[in-house]
Amino acid sequence: MSRLERRSEANHGMRANYSAGYWTPPLNPRLAFDLESEQIAKLDMESMVSLSDHDNIKAPVLLRSISRSGPIPVSVEWTVPLGAQSFHLGVHNLPGIKAAEWMEILADYTADPRDERLTEILTELSAEPGVLVVFNHPMWDLYVVGREKHAYLVNEFIQKHGAWIHALELNGLRHWDENRSVLQLSEQWNILLISGGDRHGVEPNANINLTNATSFPEFVHEIRCEKKSSVLFMPQYAEPWKHRMLRSAIDAVRYYPEFPQGSRRWDERVYHPDRNGVLRPLSELWPDGTAPLAMIWGIGLVRLMGRGLVSKGFRMAWSESDELRSSLGEYGSSSPGSTFFRTPAH
């Protein structure tokens, strides 16, 4: 990789800039919404899906304009900086007529974080009766500050702002050890638990909430006021976590001929600044129109890991189903207002 980076700079005047580059998941908003809805429909239940992206509301706004499934919540995963760390808050069901105004407020805080301003914003959000604020994956040390320091910062954050956080997320894409820590955090601070996930591949989220609510505002009332949350873990959560992460990585680089133009190949979904600093898909930046051979071989190797006997071998080596079942049994209904349903491992 270092050799390829040097060659790119010497021959084409482009230095690899990993902090400015980014990638987008293969599913567009419509496909992502359908994926989650269909998983719930297979349980013979009506679905309500709240999709959130990092610091923007483009996906739910687009879905609202084309939806035939009734009102879709305008939601966002808001980045809240805290020194060397940042936390992610899921802000669900922003009022449609004020959503753009709210996004300006949230973006201003992310660019210029001040503790007293955060208190003001969270207080104002809680004053909106239909809005749900969730502390997403609270025990994930995403910025690698160290496990103990991260736990200290999480507790400090909840101590200051927990009054305006309506639930902690049990993340369907995170390891059970991490979710166990979230359970303990819930017990410590007496904050409700709710389902959620970080799906970047094509696997639907591995847990969902069960509710008798017939609308999303009704569901928010159930969480905020009735303090009631029932979380169902889906069969895929019993799959080895490392194997699920491998499949997610393979999904990210897979070729999807049936997808819309511009999202079929992995290099159409990865963006990097060109020589003028303009972000463009890698597919437009390759000098001869195709990825370097080393990249093609590397991507091919990742895809190979998801096939046949190789994939089965990894799955067996990483098996942890017994530990997972035992852990789920420990917490059958011990957290405030929450019930955990186990499903047979497939």
Side-chain angles (χ1 to χ4, degrees):
M1 287 301 295
S2 296
R3 183 180 63 81
L4 289 172
E5 290 166 12
R6 289 194 299 270
R7 195 173 72 181
S8 172
E9 187 171 6
N11 296 349
H12 308 290
M14 289 183 58
R15 177 179 295 183
N17 186 345
Y18 299 110
S19 61
Y22 67 93
W23 67 282
T24 58
L27 298 181
N28 64 29
R30 178 77 260 176
L31 292 172
F33 184 87
D34 289 345
L35 179 76
E36 300 294 347
S37 299
E38 287 165 9
Q39 172 179 237
I40 298 169
K42 289 175 182 175
L43 299 174
D44 199 26
M45 292 189 287
E46 295 294 324
S47 65
M48 288 187 289
V49 177
S50 180
L51 285 184
S52 60
D53 204 350
H54 289 280
D55 301 309
N56 80 75
I57 55 173
K58 293 177 184 176
V61 169
L62 171 67
L63 286 170
R64 281 168 76 96
S65 67
I66 61 174
S67 172
R68 298 176 183 174
S69 313
I72 291 176
V74 176
S75 306
V76 63
E77 185 167 23
W78 176 33
T79 302
V80 180
L82 186 71
Q85 178 72 290
S86 286
F87 295 129
H88 293 161
L89 298 184
V91 183
H92 298 267
N93 201 38
L94 288 167
I97 56 173
K98 295 168 62 178
E101 180 184 337
W102 266 115
M103 282 311 303
E104 289 183 14
I105 294 171
L106 302 184
D108 286 345
Y109 177 83
T110 300
D112 181 23
R114 288 173 289 114
D115 201 50
E116 66 279 4
R117 180 58 181 141
L118 177 59
T119 301
E120 292 172 6
I121 292 172
L122 290 173
T123 303
E124 291 167 13
L125 281 170
S126 283
E128 299 277 2
V131 169
L132 184 67
V133 179
V134 179
F135 194 165
N136 288 352
H137 46 73
M139 299 309 291
W140 183 5
D141 183 12
L142 185 58
Y143 295 84
V144 199
V145 299
R147 185 171 181 173
E148 289 186 5
K149 183 176 180 181
H150 175 77
Y152 172 81
L153 291 171
V154 166
N155 281 281
E156 183 181 50
F157 183 80
I158 294 177
Q159 184 178 28
K160 289 181 179 178
H161 306 294
W164 302 283
I165 294 171
H166 306 129
L168 304 178
E169 179 194 62
L170 280 175
N171 193 300
L173 267 293
R174 300 300 302 161
H175 193 274
W176 181 249
D177 283 344
E178 186 179 303
N179 277 332
R180 183 192 281 123
S181 298
V182 178
L183 283 160
Q184 293 165 353
L185 192 69
S186 165
E187 293 169 350
Q188 177 184 344
W189 292 100
N190 197 34
I191 300 177
L192 210 64
L193 293 163
I194 198 170
S195 63
D198 269 275
R199 181 196 33 73
H200 295 96
V202 297
E203 176 195 298
N205 194 40
N207 60 15
I208 61 174
N209 261 72
L210 301 177
T211 176
N212 289 319
T214 57
S215 67
F216 201 82
E218 218 177 291
F219 173 65
V220 173
H221 182 271
E222 195 174 82
I223 299 294
R224 288 184 57 167
C225 302
E226 297 178 27
K227 304 293 183 183
K228 206 163 53 171
S229 177
S230 297
V231 180
L232 171 66
F233 281 88
M234 304 300 288
Q236 63 264 33
Y237 196 73
E239 294 288 318
W241 181 75
K242 290 179 182 177
H243 195 250
R244 293 174 66 213
M245 292 303 99
L246 173 62
R247 284 206 312 261
S248 184
I250 293 167
D251 290 341
V253 297
R254 185 175 286 141
Y255 176 58
Y256 298 91
E258 71 280 13
F259 279 14
Q261 188 71 35
S263 62
R264 295 172 183 170
R265 301 201 320 262
W266 71 270
D267 57 358
E268 294 174 328
R269 303 187 295 266
V270 178
Y271 291 77
H272 187 277
D274 63 15
R275 279 177 290 188
N276 299 315
V278 178
L279 283 163
R280 293 167 59 192
L282 286 183
S283 57
E284 297 179 7
L285 299 180
W286 305 130
D288 59 359
T290 59
L293 279 177
M295 296 295 293
I296 293 173
W297 294 336
I299 295 293
L301 179 61
V302 174
R303 289 173 177 165
L304 176 65
M305 293 167 72
R307 292 179 184 164
L309 292 175
V310 178
S311 177
K312 289 178 181 177
F314 280 124
R315 186 178 181 280
M316 290 176 64
W318 290 333
S319 177
E320 52 195 13
S321 57
D322 290 342
E323 179 191 349
L324 177 61
R325 288 194 193 96
S326 173
S327 297
L328 283 169
E330 290 172 15
Y331 293 94
S333 58
S334 61
S335 294
S338 301
T339 305
F340 300 92
F341 297 83
R342 286 188 291 169
T343 54
H346 287 189

